PDB file of all heavy atoms in Angstrom:
ATOM      1  N   GLU A  78       4.871  -6.260   0.869  1.00  0.00           N
ATOM      2  CA  GLU A  78       4.874  -6.121  -0.591  1.00  0.00           C
ATOM      3  C   GLU A  78       3.825  -5.117  -1.023  1.00  0.00           C
ATOM      4  O   GLU A  78       2.918  -4.772  -0.258  1.00  0.00           O
ATOM      5  CB  GLU A  78       4.631  -7.472  -1.270  1.00  0.00           C
ATOM      6  CG  GLU A  78       3.293  -8.080  -0.943  1.00  0.00           C
ATOM      7  CD  GLU A  78       3.117  -9.475  -1.522  1.00  0.00           C
ATOM      8  OE1 GLU A  78       4.077 -10.254  -1.531  1.00  0.00           O
ATOM      9  OE2 GLU A  78       1.994  -9.761  -1.972  1.00  0.00           O
ATOM     10  N   THR A  79       3.950  -4.666  -2.252  1.00  0.00           N
ATOM     11  CA  THR A  79       2.999  -3.722  -2.837  1.00  0.00           C
ATOM     12  C   THR A  79       2.555  -4.279  -4.174  1.00  0.00           C
ATOM     13  O   THR A  79       3.378  -4.787  -4.942  1.00  0.00           O
ATOM     14  CB  THR A  79       3.662  -2.343  -3.039  1.00  0.00           C
ATOM     15  OG1 THR A  79       4.187  -1.905  -1.786  1.00  0.00           O
ATOM     16  CG2 THR A  79       2.654  -1.322  -3.541  1.00  0.00           C
ATOM     17  N   SER A  80       1.278  -4.182  -4.464  1.00  0.00           N
ATOM     18  CA  SER A  80       0.764  -4.648  -5.751  1.00  0.00           C
ATOM     19  C   SER A  80      -0.239  -3.639  -6.295  1.00  0.00           C
ATOM     20  O   SER A  80      -0.715  -2.762  -5.574  1.00  0.00           O
ATOM     21  CB  SER A  80       0.110  -6.026  -5.596  1.00  0.00           C
ATOM     22  OG  SER A  80      -1.012  -5.947  -4.745  1.00  0.00           O
ATOM     23  N   TRP A  81      -0.545  -3.784  -7.562  1.00  0.00           N
ATOM     24  CA  TRP A  81      -1.525  -2.935  -8.232  1.00  0.00           C
ATOM     25  C   TRP A  81      -1.993  -3.677  -9.464  1.00  0.00           C
ATOM     26  O   TRP A  81      -1.330  -4.596  -9.948  1.00  0.00           O
ATOM     27  CB  TRP A  81      -0.935  -1.566  -8.601  1.00  0.00           C
ATOM     28  CG  TRP A  81       0.292  -1.657  -9.455  1.00  0.00           C
ATOM     29  CD1 TRP A  81       0.369  -1.596 -10.820  1.00  0.00           C
ATOM     30  CD2 TRP A  81       1.633  -1.854  -9.003  1.00  0.00           C
ATOM     31  NE1 TRP A  81       1.664  -1.741 -11.237  1.00  0.00           N
ATOM     32  CE2 TRP A  81       2.475  -1.907 -10.139  1.00  0.00           C
ATOM     33  CE3 TRP A  81       2.212  -2.006  -7.742  1.00  0.00           C
ATOM     34  CZ2 TRP A  81       3.837  -2.098 -10.057  1.00  0.00           C
ATOM     35  CZ3 TRP A  81       3.582  -2.200  -7.654  1.00  0.00           C
ATOM     36  CH2 TRP A  81       4.375  -2.233  -8.813  1.00  0.00           C
ATOM     37  N   ASP A  82      -3.146  -3.286  -9.959  1.00  0.00           N
ATOM     38  CA  ASP A  82      -3.688  -3.897 -11.168  1.00  0.00           C
ATOM     39  C   ASP A  82      -3.297  -3.077 -12.383  1.00  0.00           C
ATOM     40  O   ASP A  82      -3.281  -1.852 -12.339  1.00  0.00           O
ATOM     41  CB  ASP A  82      -5.217  -3.993 -11.090  1.00  0.00           C
ATOM     42  CG  ASP A  82      -5.667  -4.997 -10.039  1.00  0.00           C
ATOM     43  OD1 ASP A  82      -4.967  -6.015  -9.859  1.00  0.00           O
ATOM     44  OD2 ASP A  82      -6.713  -4.761  -9.414  1.00  0.00           O
ATOM     45  N   ASP A  83      -2.989  -3.774 -13.438  1.00  0.00           N
ATOM     46  CA  ASP A  83      -2.635  -3.121 -14.701  1.00  0.00           C
ATOM     47  C   ASP A  83      -3.779  -3.162 -15.714  1.00  0.00           C
ATOM     48  O   ASP A  83      -3.586  -2.830 -16.872  1.00  0.00           O
ATOM     49  CB  ASP A  83      -1.414  -3.803 -15.326  1.00  0.00           C
ATOM     50  CG  ASP A  83      -0.118  -3.399 -14.663  1.00  0.00           C
ATOM     51  OD1 ASP A  83      -0.031  -2.272 -14.168  1.00  0.00           O
ATOM     52  OD2 ASP A  83       0.815  -4.217 -14.654  1.00  0.00           O
ATOM     53  N   ASP A  84      -4.958  -3.571 -15.281  1.00  0.00           N
ATOM     54  CA  ASP A  84      -6.043  -3.784 -16.239  1.00  0.00           C
ATOM     55  C   ASP A  84      -7.191  -2.784 -16.130  1.00  0.00           C
ATOM     56  O   ASP A  84      -8.278  -3.021 -16.630  1.00  0.00           O
ATOM     57  CB  ASP A  84      -6.582  -5.207 -16.094  1.00  0.00           C
ATOM     58  CG  ASP A  84      -7.176  -5.480 -14.718  1.00  0.00           C
ATOM     59  OD1 ASP A  84      -7.035  -4.630 -13.816  1.00  0.00           O
ATOM     60  OD2 ASP A  84      -7.765  -6.560 -14.544  1.00  0.00           O
ATOM     61  N   SER A  85      -6.945  -1.654 -15.530  1.00  0.00           N
ATOM     62  CA  SER A  85      -8.002  -0.664 -15.348  1.00  0.00           C
ATOM     63  C   SER A  85      -8.401  -0.026 -16.681  1.00  0.00           C
ATOM     64  O   SER A  85      -7.566   0.201 -17.561  1.00  0.00           O
ATOM     65  CB  SER A  85      -7.529   0.426 -14.381  1.00  0.00           C
ATOM     66  OG  SER A  85      -8.511   1.429 -14.266  1.00  0.00           O
ATOM     67  N   ASP A  86      -9.675   0.278 -16.790  1.00  0.00           N
ATOM     68  CA  ASP A  86     -10.170   1.022 -17.952  1.00  0.00           C
ATOM     69  C   ASP A  86     -10.087   2.528 -17.728  1.00  0.00           C
ATOM     70  O   ASP A  86     -10.300   3.306 -18.646  1.00  0.00           O
ATOM     71  CB  ASP A  86     -11.618   0.627 -18.260  1.00  0.00           C
ATOM     72  CG  ASP A  86     -11.722  -0.769 -18.850  1.00  0.00           C
ATOM     73  OD1 ASP A  86     -10.780  -1.187 -19.551  1.00  0.00           O
ATOM     74  OD2 ASP A  86     -12.737  -1.445 -18.589  1.00  0.00           O
ATOM     75  N   ASP A  87      -9.777   2.929 -16.488  1.00  0.00           N
ATOM     76  CA  ASP A  87      -9.641   4.342 -16.154  1.00  0.00           C
ATOM     77  C   ASP A  87      -8.312   4.864 -16.714  1.00  0.00           C
ATOM     78  O   ASP A  87      -7.249   4.359 -16.354  1.00  0.00           O
ATOM     79  CB  ASP A  87      -9.685   4.499 -14.637  1.00  0.00           C
ATOM     80  CG  ASP A  87      -9.439   5.928 -14.173  1.00  0.00           C
ATOM     81  OD1 ASP A  87      -9.556   6.858 -14.997  1.00  0.00           O
ATOM     82  OD2 ASP A  87      -9.136   6.108 -12.980  1.00  0.00           O
ATOM     83  N   PRO A  88      -8.355   5.874 -17.591  1.00  0.00           N
ATOM     84  CA  PRO A  88      -7.117   6.379 -18.197  1.00  0.00           C
ATOM     85  C   PRO A  88      -6.109   6.905 -17.168  1.00  0.00           C
ATOM     86  O   PRO A  88      -4.906   6.749 -17.345  1.00  0.00           O
ATOM     87  CB  PRO A  88      -7.575   7.499 -19.123  1.00  0.00           C
ATOM     88  CG  PRO A  88      -9.045   7.438 -19.182  1.00  0.00           C
ATOM     89  CD  PRO A  88      -9.541   6.553 -18.095  1.00  0.00           C
ATOM     90  N   ASP A  89      -6.592   7.518 -16.080  1.00  0.00           N
ATOM     91  CA  ASP A  89      -5.677   8.009 -15.037  1.00  0.00           C
ATOM     92  C   ASP A  89      -4.966   6.858 -14.342  1.00  0.00           C
ATOM     93  O   ASP A  89      -3.773   6.931 -14.040  1.00  0.00           O
ATOM     94  CB  ASP A  89      -6.422   8.857 -14.001  1.00  0.00           C
ATOM     95  CG  ASP A  89      -6.855  10.204 -14.554  1.00  0.00           C
ATOM     96  OD1 ASP A  89      -6.249  10.666 -15.550  1.00  0.00           O
ATOM     97  OD2 ASP A  89      -7.794  10.789 -13.995  1.00  0.00           O
TER      98      ASP A  89
END
Side-chain angles (χ1 to χ4, degrees):
E78 62 185 38
T79 304
S80 64
W81 56 95
D82 291 326
D83 282 330
D84 62 352
S85 176
D86 288 329
D87 175 17
D89 289 338

